[in-house]
Amino acid sequence: MASATGDRVGQRLVMAFDYGTRRIGVSVGNEMLRSASGLEPLPARDGIPDWVVVERLLKEWQPDLLVVGLPIHDDGSESDMSVRARKFGNRLHGRFGKPVEMFDERGTTRAAKQIALEQGHKGNYRDRGVDGIAAQLILENWFNRESLPSGAPDVS
């Protein structure tokens, strides 16, 4: 039996998260259009967001699916942050009952910093992060995943 979300594949509103210990980047996009927009990042304390704010965000946007970026080393091995990102994804699913997919985010932070520099960012990422841009790249790469060889993320 297909799920309600599965019935809408190709038409879903998807929200992506770039997990971090101080900020969690957020983006939202439409699967049919294959485009995403970064939203205001969620402040986090040791990787834990204000769950009331997350709930408000989910109620406002009503995404069909959540995608959480999975930080993986260049050699394909997982890191301590991978474990924490998976835990965040599990908590999202447990608290809100939305389907969650983890997605290899290799290279998105580097690419987000490059985009930010091109847009005039001064390079102080601690005060002014690139979390929304990184979340947007995660989601756009997720949208384009089936056109990539072997499911590898496009992290140009």
Side-chain angles (χ1 to χ4, degrees):
M1 178 177 202
S3 71
T5 301
D7 293 343
R8 296 191 55 210
V9 170
Q11 302 173 28
R12 298 175 292 188
L13 184 69
V14 183
M15 184 172 281
F17 297 90
D18 177 43
Y19 178 81
T21 56
R22 288 188 301 269
R23 284 183 302 268
I24 299 171
V26 183
S27 68
V28 68
N30 180 291
E31 197 172 24
M32 187 179 296
L33 299 175
R34 298 177 97 114
S35 66
S37 299
L39 302 176
E40 197 63 34
L42 301 169
R45 181 174 250 166
D46 194 27
I48 301 170
D50 180 340
W51 291 107
V52 172
V53 174
V54 176
E55 181 176 20
R56 205 175 304 138
L57 190 64
L58 293 177
K59 280 184 178 176
E60 176 183 350
W61 287 96
Q62 299 194 9
D64 299 299
L65 174 70
L66 307 177
V67 173
V68 176
L70 185 63
I72 296 179
H73 294 297
D74 287 340
D75 67 3
S77 64
E78 292 201 12
S79 65
D80 291 338
M81 283 300 283
S82 303
V83 172
R84 294 183 76 168
R86 283 187 192 281
K87 189 174 184 178
F88 174 72
N90 288 336
R91 286 184 174 162
L92 281 170
H93 176 70
R95 284 177 179 263
F96 306 109
K98 297 276 186 189
V100 174
E101 286 188 23
M102 303 303 294
F103 185 72
D104 183 344
E105 68 169 41
R106 271 182 275 191
T108 55
T109 299
R110 275 190 304 271
K113 286 180 179 179
Q114 184 60 42
I115 290 167
L117 286 172
E118 290 168 5
Q119 293 174 348
H121 195 289
K122 301 298 182 207
N124 185 347
Y125 301 108
R126 186 174 180 95
D127 290 341
R128 193 168 147 238
V130 294
D131 313 277
I133 297 170
Q136 180 179 344
L137 292 173
I138 290 167
L139 189 49
E140 288 173 349
N141 287 338
W142 183 85
F143 285 145
N144 293 315
R145 72 200 177 284
E146 66 271 359
S147 63
L148 300 170
S150 311
D154 177 18
V155 291
S156 49

